[in-house]
Amino acid sequence: MNNTTRINNSPSRQPKPRLKRRRNAVIRSDRILPRTRRRPSKNLFDGFRRKLLFTSIEITALFIAAACATILLLGHAANRFSGTGFFANMLPFTAGILVLILITSIFLIGWWKLRQWLRLHSEYWIPALSVALALQTMWFVTHDQFTMAYGHFRTLVGGKEEAGRVTIAHQVYAAYRRQDPAQLQKMLDRSRDYREAIEDAARIFRIDVHLLHGLAATESSFIPRTSNDGGHGLFQITRVPEAAINQARRYLGVEKIALDNHKHNTFVAAATFKHYLAEMNGDLFLGLLAYNIGPANGGLRFIMQQYGATDFTTIQPYLQTLPRDYPIRVLSYSLAFRLWHQEGKLLAYEEGSNAIRIQRIGIPGLHGSL
């Protein structure tokens, strides 16, 4: 058999056709699969963002709960151990601080273990539980016990300055209690005619509107008149700083101030009080006292420099014939206006738990409501 015959008898070998690769196709073994475009996955980013959100909620809620609990415990401790005795007061208070630190450490350790266990079940449990804890603590803030503890805590932190402020604040509460409710209500009713002007002046000069009502009540009982001592109008304006007159004129947009116009009168009073408040470095009691004294005897600043007084408590013995109770009267009327506007009525200080409730609402200009 020759070579030619062998070649002819062998099966024919024909070349296999080439497969044309299509665009966007991938050859896997013997199949041609369409190539899918890879899109960036957002799962990782979304998971990180959700985790960051839950952690922020947890930290914020725990901070709120810890702050309220700290104020409550330190306030009660300050009331229980207040005094100057080492063994009877200072040492027990120091021990209480150490116990508070220990309790906080135990709580943090327990919380860490709890959150590890909660994470195995659901990631939503941790922020939900922390928010519930914060809401429970904030709910307790509305109770009278917390109000009293907060007052003691404020005295503890504020020191001598806050102690003097609290003493004078209770003088304001006592003055409010001594007022005749019927006469006070009549004065509140008369104030309606001047409410718009007072609110405008309070907004422009950034003064508590109830404080400005208290000034008008003390000066004129909302019966504008010209007095024998030279006082004019709603706020009984006498001699005022030229800067206050210029300010009132600029805000009113007039060339001349007419003190018998209750709006002009109110703007001059607000500008004058703002002037003296700045002169007394924002001290409310001294600002009211300076407003009442005016430039007489060189003004309050000169009197304080003469006797070396530094605050409202130390200046009172040197005021002699000057009305040292003026700030107390203004603030007691201001308190009445705040109660009237917020509660819709005047609260009797001595009835039930009204004393704590009024203290929680706060004296205008002295401290806000709690």
Side-chain angles (χ1 to χ4, degrees):
M1 187 179 292
N2 53 25
N3 294 333
T4 304
T5 307
R6 188 169 58 247
I7 293 174
N8 292 334
N9 296 334
S10 61
S12 60
R13 297 180 180 176
Q14 297 180 356
K16 294 181 179 180
R18 288 188 177 181
L19 298 175
K20 292 183 178 181
R21 273 192 192 177
R22 294 181 301 169
R23 271 184 160 181
N24 301 329
V26 177
I27 298 179
R28 292 186 182 177
S29 63
D30 57 345
R31 294 181 301 168
I32 301 178
L33 301 177
R35 176 176 293 175
T36 56
R37 293 182 180 180
R38 295 182 178 178
R39 296 180 180 177
S41 175
K42 296 183 180 180
N43 292 336
L44 182 61
F45 176 74
D46 292 341
F48 173 76
R49 187 167 56 181
R50 184 170 60 253
K51 183 177 181 181
L52 181 62
L53 175 63
F54 288 166
T55 304
S56 302
I57 294 175
E58 178 187 3
I59 293 175
T60 304
L62 289 179
F63 176 80
I64 293 174
C68 294
T70 301
I71 292 174
L72 179 64
L73 295 176
L74 288 182
H76 278 301
N79 181 44
R80 171 65 179 80
F81 301 113
S82 60
T84 57
F86 179 77
F87 290 102
N89 307 111
M90 289 185 284
L91 188 60
F93 183 77
T94 304
I97 298 295
L98 295 176
V99 170
L100 179 61
I101 295 174
L102 179 61
I103 293 175
T104 304
S105 302
I106 295 174
F107 172 79
L108 291 177
I109 294 173
W111 179 263
W112 178 258
K113 293 183 177 180
L114 177 62
R115 76 189 306 274
Q116 295 297 325
W117 181 78
L118 291 175
R119 184 181 293 178
L120 299 176
H121 295 77
S122 175
E123 61 181 351
Y124 296 98
W125 276 107
I126 300 173
L129 185 61
S130 57
V131 170
L133 180 62
L135 291 177
Q136 179 67 25
T137 309
M138 293 176 64
W139 172 78
F140 191 73
V141 170
T142 60
H143 286 65
D144 295 341
Q145 293 84 352
F146 186 88
T147 302
M148 298 177 64
Y150 178 75
H152 298 313
F153 177 78
R154 192 168 52 193
T155 304
L156 174 67
V157 177
K160 178 183 177 182
E161 179 181 352
E162 182 62 25
R165 187 187 300 265
V166 170
T167 301
I168 298 173
H170 281 283
Q171 295 182 34
V172 174
Y173 296 136
Y176 169 78
R177 180 184 178 184
R178 290 193 298 268
Q179 291 175 359
D180 185 346
Q183 295 298 324
L184 185 57
Q185 186 61 54
K186 290 181 180 179
M187 186 180 62
L188 294 173
D189 295 335
R190 288 196 299 267
S191 70
R192 297 179 188 272
D193 296 335
Y194 311 99
R195 183 171 183 176
E196 183 178 354
I198 290 176
E199 288 178 348
D200 290 343
R203 183 182 64 258
I204 290 175
F205 291 97
R206 297 181 181 180
I207 302 173
D208 189 296
V209 64
H210 302 129
L211 185 59
L212 208 54
H213 274 97
L215 274 171
T218 306
E219 293 291 344
S220 67
S221 297
F222 288 95
I223 305 176
R225 61 190 181 277
T226 299
S227 304
N228 296 330
D229 59 356
H232 296 279
L234 186 64
F235 285 85
Q236 291 294 284
I237 301 297
T238 52
R239 290 184 295 169
V240 298
E242 188 65 26
I245 292 289
N246 294 334
Q247 264 193 326
R249 189 164 50 228
R250 184 172 71 253
Y251 283 120
L252 287 168
V254 298
E255 292 294 330
K256 186 178 180 180
I257 293 293
L259 293 180
D260 56 343
N261 183 315
H262 66 267
K263 187 170 185 178
H264 290 199
N265 198 287
T266 301
F267 272 61
V268 171
T272 303
F273 173 66
K274 195 73 173 182
H275 170 81
Y276 284 118
L277 190 63
E279 189 178 78
M280 293 296 110
N281 298 319
D283 189 299
L284 177 61
F285 296 107
L286 293 180
L288 289 171
L289 195 60
Y291 175 88
N292 180 245
I293 294 174
N297 300 316
L300 181 60
R301 176 186 290 179
F302 175 78
I303 298 174
M304 294 181 69
Q305 292 175 349
Q306 182 180 4
Y307 296 107
T310 57
D311 51 33
F312 183 73
T313 304
T314 55
I315 191 59
Q316 290 191 60
Y318 304 104
L319 295 179
Q320 299 174 357
T321 58
L322 297 175
R324 68 191 69 188
D325 65 333
Y326 180 84
I328 305 298
R329 287 188 286 123
V330 172
L331 293 178
S332 65
Y333 283 129
S334 302
L335 177 60
F337 274 95
R338 173 174 278 186
L339 294 174
W340 186 46
H341 289 155
Q342 290 189 8
E343 302 293 321
K345 61 180 180 179
L346 295 173
L347 302 178
Y349 194 83
E350 64 278 4
E351 290 183 4
S353 60
N354 281 350
I356 300 299
R357 185 177 178 182
I358 292 173
Q359 291 177 30
R360 187 189 297 123
I361 291 174
I363 300 172
L366 182 59
H367 46 71
S369 58
L370 178 61

